[in-house]
Amino acid sequence: MTNYWIQLFINRNSPTSVGAEENLNAILKKYFPGDYQLEIIDIQENPEKTEEAGILAIPTLIRKWPKPEVRLIGALTLQTRVLTGLGIVVQEDK
Amino acid sequence: MNIQKLKTGIPAFDLISDGGLPAGRTTLLAGSSGSAKTLFGAQFLAMGILLYDQPGVFVTFEEQVDDIRKDLQSFGWEIEKWEAEGKWKFIDASAKEEDIITIGEFDLSAFRIRLELAINKINAQRVVIDSIGSIFTHFPEHNIIRREMSKVSMTLRRLKVTAIITTERSEEYGPISRYGVEEFLTDNVIILRNVLANERRRRTLEILKFRGSSHVKGENPFTIIPMKAIMIVPISAMTLNQKASSERLYSGLPKLDDMCGGGFFKNSIVLVSGATGTGKTLLVANFLNGVKQKQERALLLAFEESKEQLFRNAKTWGMDLAQLEAEGYLKVVCLYPEVSSLEDHLINIQELVVAFKPDRVAIDSISALTRNPSERGFQEFVVALSNFLKHEQVTSMFTATTHMLTGDASVPEGNIASITDAIILLRYVEMMGEMQRSIMVLKMRGSNHESSIRRLTINQTGMQIGEPFTGISGILSNNPKVTK
């Protein structure tokens, strides 16, 4: 049973998407080890899912769980902002 | 180079655009809020489905899909049915409740993929993106959005769809668009305006440019009608094909025919100008009654009197208009000038004329339609109406009320005088302690006409045109003098 369910919509042809995937993996491994489920969705392979989720921009991160749903757009380059966006308060020096 | 056009099916737009929107291209539709951008876009798609069997994709960045479906019902468009039949597809890109946070670089490739998927799925030939300004409010990174939207327009170009992208303007007569999108959507630009002038809303459509292709320049008024949506009133486009007739038509009074050199010309516009009580409506009644001779059909648009009132008065002058109506030679439509806008009146009149196919049309009075004759919209209205009536080969009589009781050489609504082919003046003459009436033909395009001012009497037998006021001058300058 994991506490976080996260979807990341990417486009493998785009360098910003690759960067986002790496950045997100690093954050999740560091702050939520074993406590998350990550689904990477390539829009080229899954246009229907992209349509269903109403994605416009790439990369888009959706925190499906816990509710409410949160969406982050962009390469996720700023760790602290990603964590705030996901609703995590991080203590410094940890 | 002349670019192929795609017929939109929007009434009169195809006329002023010389065939429709540039086919396979994207047109920028710019307008202030409330200028009917969304409706124009939706109508473009609806007409494609209804008239040309061309499916369309509607991308909404602004309004919710459900609201659009509901709003468009009032025009008789069954969006849901078309969606089920694969003729209409929405891409819902409207703002949702959850917050969007942007962190770092992004692109809109997902949107482009969804757009391409939707277009291919229903084989769409028409696309509307409403509106580009809302994308800019979704995402604060305007440079990225500008770059990405230019990629979107390239995608549309590659897929060879004819597209409309709407954009907001903050001023009616300012820069084309608030976000500078015209930098990359520059070839074809249409502007919709909704201007408040003389306490009246005036909607216009202007084709600012169609690169490599012809169109009518300037603003064209339009109106929005239930079940029909946007109706454009083409002003300049209709002036091209009118025929000047040399055939004559009975004016309704033999004496007046003589004064005009043998009757009115067919397809001409006759303006009757006079103060209240000078006999304008009586002249109209004679004009209508004139259909009896050759069994023509006449249509009267009465803005000042009820039908009952008119018929009763005509009876006292010895004309049975009720009988003419019963026999189908006459149709009388009484309208309240204040109820609708001039554009609505025009479309209403056009429909009546097309349905009844009259030989004669009388409008009593044209001046009831305006409180301010210098109003630009009124002049345009009269031009468009005259063009339409001539185009339909109708002979028309407009009445106009002057304010001064006596004298007054000028013709009221000076703007319309130049449009009309003939002008008849009805004037009071104050002479020797008595008010008398007079009639004269001031202008008769393409014909000789009498230049004298004749005495006019009105009694139980109607209108009697008498002898000229000989030996008297200064009637029109309100200073009659016996010069004998």
Side-chain angles (χ1 to χ4, degrees):
Chain A
M1 199 38 201
T2 54
N3 283 322
Y4 282 88
W5 173 20
I6 286 163
Q7 286 181 330
L8 183 66
F9 286 83
I10 57 157
N11 181 349
R12 284 207 200 277
N13 295 334
S14 128
T16 50
S17 289
V18 179
E21 201 179 335
E22 282 171 5
N23 292 338
L24 180 62
N25 265 316
I27 293 166
L28 292 176
K29 277 193 185 125
K30 184 172 173 192
Y31 294 99
F32 316 98
D35 197 24
Y36 65 90
Q37 180 197 336
L38 175 63
E39 200 182 337
I40 307 278
I41 301 161
D42 186 337
I43 56 164
Q44 309 258 24
E45 289 160 19
N46 298 289
E48 303 285 349
K49 262 192 184 164
T50 311
E51 177 68 40
E52 215 177 295
I55 306 294
L56 299 173
I58 285 303
T60 294
L61 176 158
I62 305 178
R63 187 189 74 185
K64 298 287 279 185
W65 191 262
K67 292 281 172 198
E69 211 174 272
V70 172
R71 292 188 180 211
L72 304 182
I73 285 167
L76 309 177
T77 37
L78 294 167
Q79 264 199 18
T80 45
R81 286 201 64 190
V82 176
L83 288 168
T84 320
L86 289 172
I88 317 292
V89 183
V90 186
Q91 276 106 43
E92 293 297 319
D93 307 314
K94 197 182 167 183
Chain B
M1 175 179 75
N2 213 340
I3 287 162
Q4 247 194 313
K5 299 276 179 69
L6 179 95
K7 276 204 163 118
T8 61
I10 298 174
F13 178 78
D14 294 339
L15 192 67
I16 60 168
S17 59
D18 197 17
L21 290 175
R25 305 295 170 94
T26 296
T27 299
L28 186 67
L29 181 69
S32 55
S33 84
S35 61
K37 299 185 292 292
T38 305
L39 180 58
F40 189 93
Q43 196 173 358
F44 170 62
L45 295 195
M47 291 301 133
I49 294 165
L50 288 169
L51 303 177
Y52 307 108
D53 200 25
Q54 294 173 348
V57 170
F58 194 105
V59 182
T60 174
F61 277 96
E62 195 167 346
E63 284 179 70
Q64 302 298 321
V65 167
D66 265 347
D67 294 341
I68 299 176
R69 281 195 199 104
K70 233 174 272 163
D71 291 346
L72 296 180
Q73 263 175 4
S74 63
F75 302 108
W77 303 333
E78 297 168 77
I79 309 295
E80 250 165 311
K81 192 178 132 239
W82 292 340
E83 284 178 85
E85 292 168 352
K87 292 174 179 169
W88 179 298
K89 199 164 172 49
F90 276 112
I91 294 183
D92 186 0
S94 58
K96 297 286 178 268
E97 272 179 47
E98 64 263 23
D99 293 332
I100 296 177
I101 302 156
T102 51
I103 307 164
E105 180 80 1
F106 66 94
D107 62 61
L108 294 183
S109 55
F111 171 62
R112 293 204 306 276
I113 285 169
R114 284 170 68 189
L115 183 61
E116 186 162 355
L117 186 76
I119 292 170
N120 289 334
K121 207 171 209 168
I122 64 167
N123 198 18
Q125 274 142 288
R126 301 178 178 216
V127 171
V128 172
I129 298 181
D130 181 51
S131 73
I132 210 167
S134 313
I135 313 174
F136 284 94
T137 47
H138 288 353
F139 301 102
E141 294 80 0
H142 289 182
N143 285 335
I144 295 180
I145 297 302
R146 257 191 289 275
R147 180 194 73 204
E148 290 300 313
M149 284 317 290
S150 99
K151 285 190 199 161
V152 169
S153 80
M154 285 189 272
T155 304
L156 294 169
R157 185 82 173 249
R158 173 167 55 80
L159 296 171
K160 295 190 172 62
V161 289
T162 306
I164 291 176
I165 295 185
T166 68
T167 184
E168 284 77 9
R169 308 181 70 210
S170 32
E171 292 164 57
E172 292 293 2
Y173 293 93
I176 293 174
S177 139
R178 195 182 292 170
Y179 297 101
V181 286
E182 62 270 26
E183 283 165 28
F184 57 90
L185 287 168
T186 183
D187 285 353
N188 313 301
V189 180
I190 296 175
I191 292 181
L192 296 179
R193 291 193 178 90
N194 183 10
V195 185
L196 189 65
N198 292 328
E199 293 170 13
R200 237 184 212 167
R201 282 271 158 207
R202 186 165 171 271
R203 295 179 179 279
T204 63
L205 178 149
E206 177 182 13
I207 299 173
L208 199 67
K209 52 182 164 179
F210 273 0
R211 184 158 290 178
S213 157
S214 56
H215 60 86
V216 167
K217 296 187 175 56
E219 292 180 49
N220 290 272
F222 71 88
T223 181
I224 297 167
I225 294 180
M227 301 310 286
K228 291 218 171 99
I230 290 176
M231 302 276 286
I232 296 163
V233 180
I235 282 174
S236 32
M238 280 169 74
T239 49
L240 310 164
N241 41 6
Q242 313 161 351
K243 289 167 244 160
S245 174
S246 57
E247 258 185 274
R248 300 277 184 159
L249 183 118
Y250 178 45
S251 67
L253 288 163
K255 207 62 174 256
L256 184 58
D257 271 15
D258 293 344
M259 291 176 75
C260 295
F264 297 154
F265 281 119
K266 279 194 175 165
N267 308 349
S268 68
I269 310 275
V270 180
L271 179 70
V272 177
S273 149
T276 177
T278 45
K280 294 189 300 298
T281 303
L282 177 52
L283 202 64
V284 164
N286 275 296
F287 176 66
L288 299 174
N289 202 41
V291 298
K292 276 212 307 214
Q293 219 183 39
K294 289 197 174 156
Q295 310 211 320
E296 298 157 336
R297 286 147 78 84
L299 172 70
L300 169 67
L301 301 159
F303 290 104
E304 289 182 346
E305 271 185 318
S306 72
K307 191 158 97 179
E308 290 69 28
Q309 224 174 336
L310 177 81
F311 283 8
R312 201 180 53 222
N313 292 344
K315 204 142 203 171
T316 64
W317 300 320
M319 284 177 274
D320 195 349
L321 295 184
Q323 177 71 19
L324 271 184
E325 191 191 36
E327 288 169 0
Y329 296 122
L330 174 67
K331 188 182 174 78
V332 178
V333 179
C334 296
L335 298 161
Y336 292 103
E338 288 83 10
V339 168
S340 23
S341 69
L342 289 174
E343 288 80 17
D344 289 342
H345 277 305
L346 184 61
I347 282 153
N348 195 354
I349 294 169
Q350 289 179 342
E351 282 175 356
L352 285 166
V353 168
V354 167
F356 188 64
K357 295 188 177 56
D359 304 281
R360 302 167 177 229
V361 169
I363 297 181
D364 188 30
S365 70
I366 195 110
S367 39
L369 288 174
T370 180
R371 294 202 185 88
N372 174 11
S374 64
E375 200 180 309
R376 183 170 162 216
F378 179 68
Q379 195 182 351
E380 287 177 351
F381 165 79
V382 178
V383 173
L385 178 63
S386 306
N387 286 339
F388 166 76
L389 292 170
K390 288 187 171 192
H391 185 78
E392 294 294 314
Q393 311 202 348
V394 170
T395 310
S396 317
M397 179 180 277
F398 299 166
T399 67
T401 308
T402 51
H403 299 295
M404 282 169 71
L405 279 185
T406 58
D408 197 0
S410 67
V411 175
E413 347 300 7
N415 300 325
I416 59 177
S418 57
I419 298 153
T420 55
D421 301 292
I423 297 174
I424 297 172
L425 295 188
L426 299 176
R427 292 288 184 271
Y428 285 115
V429 186
E430 189 195 343
M431 246 174 57
M432 295 160 206
E434 208 183 296
M435 206 60 136
Q436 299 194 11
R437 293 188 175 90
S438 74
I439 182 168
M440 82 168 290
V441 177
L442 186 71
K443 152 178 158 185
M444 183 85 195
R445 197 175 277 163
S447 170
N448 289 329
H449 64 88
E450 207 179 85
S451 54
S452 53
I453 303 173
R454 285 179 178 269
R455 193 170 267 122
L456 184 76
T457 47
I458 296 174
N459 56 26
Q460 283 82 358
T461 52
M463 191 176 244
Q464 313 295 333
I465 298 176
E467 293 306 308
F469 286 93
T470 44
I472 296 162
S473 63
I475 288 174
L476 290 183
S477 54
N478 195 21
N479 189 18
K481 275 194 188 111
V482 179
T483 53
K484 238 181 249 181

